[in-house]
Amino acid sequence: NEKQVLRGVNLSVYPGEYISIMGRSGSGKSTLLNILGLLIPPSEGTLFFEGKKVEDLWKDELADIRRRRVGFIFQNFELIESISALNNIMIAGFLEKKSKEEVYERTVELTQSLDLSQDLLKKYPSELSGGEKQRVAIVRALINNPDLILADEPTGNLDSASSKEIMEILKGMHRSGETLILITHDNGIAAQAKRVVRIMDGKIESDMINEEFVEEA
């Protein structure tokens, strides 16, 4: 009774790339992102992370990679409603057993760069707008200095103004050296990436370099 979501996918991601993955709802793009983020293992085939077979890694090693090397940004923000925005951010740093002072210093650095005020950080997620929630989620994703950022429809629940702001933040992260993989169904957002992968019915339909991509200073 298993449902086959991906079929014969062959994809390589290189350090510093900016990739958008496009596809209709149910095409398998979110499943692919979860596999790339080591959240779920493929039922068949082989997944490599920096040349190492993921299936050969211990659970603790996988958890370390997810915490330290990968930052996740979700369409629905995935914030904990019962704690403040500040604590939503800092808890990710505490999982790395960093000191409170170190995590707080990093949080202040990131929130200032994203124009998040200290007053806003005291609020609970239910008191924030969609754009504010996504900024908090981005800071949380960056708190441990990941090399790989995975964003699943990061502007899907935002208005056009907030979407533009979030995309500028994500592009800035890529310019800083992070590898960025972004799931989207929006052609305009996909066109901002250097490489565009299109998925249909679980298969990669095309994988092309965006000739119109301009690397911003």
Side-chain angles (χ1 to χ4, degrees):
N1 295 323
E2 290 184 355
K3 180 180 179 181
Q4 189 175 25
V5 179
L6 299 174
R7 299 172 175 84
V9 169
N10 188 358
L11 180 71
S12 296
V13 178
Y14 300 96
E17 283 200 294
Y18 177 7
I19 303 173
S20 65
I21 299 178
M22 289 201 72
R24 295 179 179 177
S25 178
S27 62
K29 57 187 187 297
S30 290
T31 299
L32 176 58
L33 198 74
N34 287 333
I35 289 175
L36 293 175
L38 311 183
L39 291 176
I40 57 175
S43 55
E44 294 181 11
T46 304
L47 176 66
F48 294 89
F49 189 92
E50 295 187 332
K52 297 179 180 179
K53 282 186 179 182
V54 170
E55 63 191 53
D56 293 339
L57 299 176
W58 295 93
K59 288 184 179 180
D60 288 348
E61 291 179 289
L62 289 173
D64 283 344
I65 292 172
R66 286 193 295 265
R67 285 198 313 270
R68 299 175 181 175
R69 309 295 302 282
V70 184
F72 297 92
I73 303 169
F74 303 97
Q75 178 179 355
N76 294 321
F77 320 121
E78 301 296 339
L79 300 177
I80 302 172
E81 295 290 337
S82 59
I83 61 177
S84 68
L86 176 61
N87 286 331
N88 264 281
I89 294 168
M90 293 185 68
I91 195 171
F94 293 151
L95 290 173
E96 267 300 285
K97 297 181 174 60
K98 295 179 179 178
S99 70
K100 183 178 180 180
E101 292 75 17
E102 183 181 2
V103 175
Y104 184 74
E105 183 178 335
R106 173 68 173 160
T107 300
V108 170
E109 174 191 343
L110 289 170
T111 53
Q112 287 179 345
S113 68
L114 270 64
D115 293 326
L116 284 170
S117 69
Q118 293 300 305
D119 287 339
L120 184 147
L121 293 177
K122 296 175 184 177
K123 295 181 179 180
Y124 287 80
S126 61
E127 301 174 293
L128 304 177
S129 68
E132 290 168 341
K133 288 180 181 179
Q134 196 59 292
R135 285 172 183 247
V136 170
I138 289 173
V139 174
R140 180 186 59 189
L142 296 177
I143 198 70
N144 290 323
N145 298 300
D147 304 306
L148 173 63
I149 304 294
L150 303 178
D152 193 353
E153 298 279 9
T155 64
N157 286 330
L158 305 179
D159 58 37
S160 58
S162 295
S163 294
K164 185 176 181 180
E165 291 176 356
I166 294 302
M167 285 307 303
E168 287 303 315
I169 291 170
L170 293 176
K171 288 189 288 185
M173 290 157 51
H174 167 251
R175 290 193 295 271
S176 297
E178 281 95 346
T179 304
L180 175 61
I181 304 177
L182 184 148
I183 293 282
T184 184
H185 64 275
D186 187 309
N187 283 303
I189 289 176
Q192 298 179 47
K194 188 172 184 178
R195 180 178 164 196
V196 181
V197 176
R198 295 181 184 272
I199 292 183
M200 180 178 289
D201 299 328
K203 297 180 179 180
I204 293 181
E205 184 181 37
S206 64
D207 183 349
M208 303 181 67
I209 297 297
N210 180 7
E211 299 296 341
E212 296 181 1
F213 177 82
V214 178
E215 191 75 63
E216 300 177 28

